[in-house]
Amino acid sequence: MAFLPIAARVITLPILLLYLSPKDMGAIGLASTVAVFLPVFFTLGLENGFSYYYFTYNKSKKLLNAYFTSILLTITGAAVFFLVILIFSGEWMYQMIFSDPNYTFEKYGLSTVLLSALSGINSLLLLYYRNQQKPVSYTVISASMFLVSVGVELIGVCYYKSGPETILWLRFFSYLIVSAIAWAALLLKMKFVFDFRFIKYTFSYSIPIMFYIILSLIYMHYDKILVENYLTLELVAVYNLAAVTAFIVENILQALQSATLPDIYQKSKRLMENVEGISRIYRGIGNVILFTIVMLCVFYPFATIHLLSEVYFSSFKVLPLLLIGQILRYFYCVYVEPLFFLKETKKLPLLNLFAAIASIGLNILLIPRMGLVGVGVASVITRAGQLLLAVYYYKRVSEFRYKLRYTHIFMIGIICTLLLIMIFNYWGISTQTQMYIYLIPFVVFSIMSYRVFLRGITLRNTFSKSVFKTIQDRM
């Protein structure tokens, strides 16, 4: 939902690290965390229902126009309502949530809230073009929002030496300009219609998903706020570096899920007949995720040691655990996504309720005792428990079984190598040695890939020989 702003943060992070102090980076990291939470409230989760009911109403252009504008007007009204509340109560809320007295709503909150509202409304625009399967329009709008936002921010940081407060306002205004042009181009072709029946039907689907997303965001991002509460704003920057690096994997996972959603939806109509087709999609996503993790392990220590200050070296201790969490996240998505198409979403908020409670509880328990490593341990335990519950629920409501044997083997192999890195870190190896230790996942991944490649050749040769022998026997 807030994918583009998050992607922009990933691109600009290395530059910001070079120009800003750790404390300023911690402030921007917290602002990005708030910007992830708020859009779901501004949209009331209706954009998720829109993705589902779009395929019901798209058979009639007039009906689709009425449905889309009804959803848009509702989301816009909700965004304005929550904006007014936050503008008047934001200072009080920031004092309640954050421990640093200098981190105030006046400095960092208002620009973040406005950006979040805009991100939530824009999610509907991007979903509309995606569901219409118009890749050119979708790509142009996405790329424009992304490039303009990143470009303006980098100019402000590198040329004008802007501080964190100015950077947040640059994010908002650059995003606003592109959004206004994109919305104008679409809405000039539409007639505004509002029918409450559309909202009623969509709410019945989206409300469970909304609570599911809120709880998901709590357990995935609230840890940064707890780091600020129990440690320091500087350590928020250190943890945010590792978290954003690991979140690259999740960004890619979300992008691949979004791109394959229409295809999976069509195949899910005949689920048992499309086992291989759906499994092939998830195998492909899994391979991309693994390759991304391996490449991050190769380049992250080298870049951190040679480009950043020693303050950020402690992020090495938590990154492997966060990457393991992303692998568990992949498997969780594999078993949860089909439940949306099967209309088995009512129990999904319970999965994230467990995760939110476990994550907050474990972080409160472990951060004061283990520091940043405690955040990583809490993340792995929480995601593992949530995955087990998801698999259990999935098997109760569906007889569909994936064909992901080699994906499981690859994932387990990489998890073992990341745990091995954690053991070496515990022994207190030198910083320079870290660069070589982080090459272990690349070596293991390469060996396993080569073995699967050889096995594939062997299977093809065996199959060819058996076919040839069968032909000879029949002759």
Side-chain angles (χ1 to χ4, degrees), residues 4 122 125-126 141-149 175 178-179 182:
L4 285 172
N122 282 344
L125 175 70
L126 295 173
I141 295 173
S142 302
S144 298
M145 291 179 178
F146 175 77
L147 294 174
V148 172
S149 175
Y175 203 48
V178 180
S179 302

Side-chain angles (χ1 to χ4, degrees), residues 222-291:
Y222 196 73
D223 50 6
K224 296 184 185 69
I225 297 175
L226 291 175
V227 170
E228 190 269 344
N229 292 161
Y230 286 97
L231 302 176
T232 64
L233 201 57
E234 288 82 358
L235 285 178
V236 172
V238 175
Y239 174 66
N240 190 55
L241 174 60
V244 170
T245 302
F247 206 72
I248 292 173
V249 181
E250 186 153 341
N251 270 334
I252 293 174
L253 176 59
Q254 290 175 355
L256 293 174
Q257 281 184 293
S258 179
T260 57
L261 186 64
D263 191 23
I264 294 176
Y265 174 78
Q266 295 299 328
K267 286 182 169 59
S268 68
K269 293 180 179 179
R270 295 183 177 181
L271 201 59
M272 302 308 295
E273 299 177 13
N274 292 295
V275 173
E276 180 58 34
I278 296 176
S279 298
R280 188 183 299 114
I281 292 173
Y282 284 117
R283 285 199 299 268
I285 294 175
N287 291 336
V288 174
I289 295 302
L290 277 177
F291 181 77

Side-chain angles (χ1 to χ4, degrees), residues 242 245-247 249-250 253 289-290 293-294 296-297 317-332 376-385 387 410-423 438 441:
T245 302
F247 206 72
V249 181
E250 186 153 341
L253 176 59
I289 295 302
L290 277 177
I293 290 174
V294 169
L296 289 175
C297 288
K317 297 180 180 180
V318 69
L319 180 62
L321 292 171
L322 298 181
L323 292 176
I324 291 174
Q326 294 301 330
I327 293 176
L328 298 175
R329 176 69 177 172
Y330 159 76
F331 281 117
Y332 176 78
V377 173
S379 174
V380 171
I381 294 175
T382 300
R383 290 180 185 268
L387 172 61
F410 271 58
M411 294 286 188
I412 292 173
I414 297 301
I415 287 175
C416 291
T417 59
L418 292 172
L419 290 174
L420 183 61
I421 292 175
M422 286 298 302
I423 294 173
Y438 268 84

